[in-house]
Amino acid sequence: MKDQLSSYVDLHKNEILSQLSKFVAIPSESGNPKELSAAIDFVLILSEILGLSAQAYCQNQVIVIEMGSGDETLGILSHLDVVPAGDLDLWDTPPYEAVIKDGKIFGRGTLDDKGMIIASLYAMKAVSNLGLPLHKRVQLIIGTQEEVEWTDMDSYVANYPLPDYGFSPDGEYPICNIEKGCIDYALELDTDDNPEGLHLVSIKCGVMQNAVPDMA
C-alpha cells in the first residue's frame, strides 16, 4: 500500500506543486475577507476537480472535504489563513510566490498550512483512485481564522459533530495531536520614582502575537 501511494505522489508531483503554487499566490491573511474568499473558492474548485465531496459551513468560515464511510470519523484539521508577510524587504523570496530552492519550497503558508492542505487533498485522492480500503469516514476540516480568534472553529464546534479521532498536519512535526497553549500578558512599569523623568511610551514588536516578529 505504501509503495502504491508513493508511486501515485511521484506521478502527480508536478500537478501537486502547481496547485500549491496557485494556493500560495493568494494572500489569504486572516483579516482579509476578499482573499480568504478567493482561497476558499480555490479549495472548493480543486476538491471538485479531484472528485472529492466538499462543502462550506458557518457562513463560509469552514470547509469540510469528505470521503469514505463508517460509524467513526477521522478528522484532519487544517487552516488556509496566514499571518501577514510583514516587511517585504526582509524576505529573501516573495512571500506570495512558491519558490523552490535547495530542495525546499519557500512562500507564506507552504508549511503552515497550505502545503499540508494540498498534501492532504492529494492523499485523499490517491486513496480514492487506488481503491484502498477505508473503514472510517475521513473529513478534512479547513478553517479560516486559526491565526487570530478561532471564531470559525467556535461556530463549527457549536453546530456540527466533531470527529471521533483527529490530528493536524500543521508544521514540520509532521503532525500535532496536542498543543500546550498560549498566553497573553500585560507588562506594567512603575515610573513614578524615575529621577530622570523618563517614561515608557510604547513597545512595538512584529505584526501578530502568534508569529516570530521581524523587528522589535
Side-chain angles (χ1 to χ4, degrees):
M1 183 182 298
K2 182 178 179 181
D3 290 341
Q4 286 180 286
L5 291 170
S6 295
S7 296
Y8 183 93
V9 171
D10 290 340
L11 184 64
H12 294 83
K13 178 179 178 179
N14 291 336
E15 179 185 343
I16 293 170
L17 291 175
S18 174
Q19 295 295 351
L20 176 56
S21 179
K22 295 175 184 177
F23 201 12
V24 170
I26 304 172
S28 53
E29 298 175 5
S30 306
N32 190 328
K34 179 181 178 182
E35 298 301 342
L36 284 174
S37 180
I40 291 168
D41 289 343
F42 174 86
V43 172
L44 290 174
I45 292 171
L46 178 57
S47 299
E48 183 179 356
I49 291 172
L50 296 177
L52 299 170
S53 172
Q55 188 171 346
Y57 295 89
C58 305
Q59 297 181 322
N60 252 27
Q61 287 194 93
V62 179
I63 306 170
V64 179
I65 296 98
E66 188 172 302
M67 67 179 296
S69 61
D71 295 332
E72 295 181 313
T73 301
L74 169 66
I76 306 170
L77 311 175
S78 188
H79 64 95
L80 54 75
D81 59 316
V82 297
V83 296
D87 186 351
L88 299 183
D89 292 335
L90 298 178
W91 283 76
D92 294 328
T93 60
Y96 295 112
E97 178 182 338
V99 176
I100 299 177
K101 184 173 65 171
D102 301 328
K104 300 178 181 179
I105 307 173
F106 293 85
R108 180 60 95 215
T110 52
L111 194 63
D112 180 15
D113 206 21
K114 292 181 177 180
M116 310 315 177
I117 291 174
I118 296 297
S120 297
L121 284 171
Y122 275 89
M124 294 169 73
K125 174 65 172 175
V127 169
S128 177
N129 272 24
L130 295 171
L132 301 178
L134 283 176
H135 305 294
K136 294 178 175 60
R137 187 167 48 148
V138 177
Q139 290 182 328
L140 173 57
I141 303 172
I142 304 173
T144 58
Q145 297 293 309
E146 194 268 355
E147 301 292 3
V148 282
E149 298 295 332
W150 288 50
T151 54
D152 51 350
M153 288 297 105
D154 287 342
S155 178
Y156 187 81
V157 169
N159 292 282
Y160 299 97
L162 296 180
D164 298 286
Y165 311 93
F167 69 91
S168 176
D170 189 334
E172 58 184 349
Y173 311 103
I175 67 171
C176 327
N177 57 18
I178 191 169
E179 290 189 11
K180 294 181 179 179
C182 301
I183 183 171
D184 297 330
Y185 64 91
L187 178 64
E188 297 182 3
L189 303 176
D190 185 359
T191 60
D192 292 341
D193 297 327
N194 189 329
E196 302 298 327
L198 300 177
H199 299 277
L200 178 65
V201 177
S202 67
I203 296 175
K204 182 178 181 181
C205 182
V207 294
M208 296 283 287
Q209 67 181 16
N210 61 336
V212 177
D214 54 4
M215 58 81 64

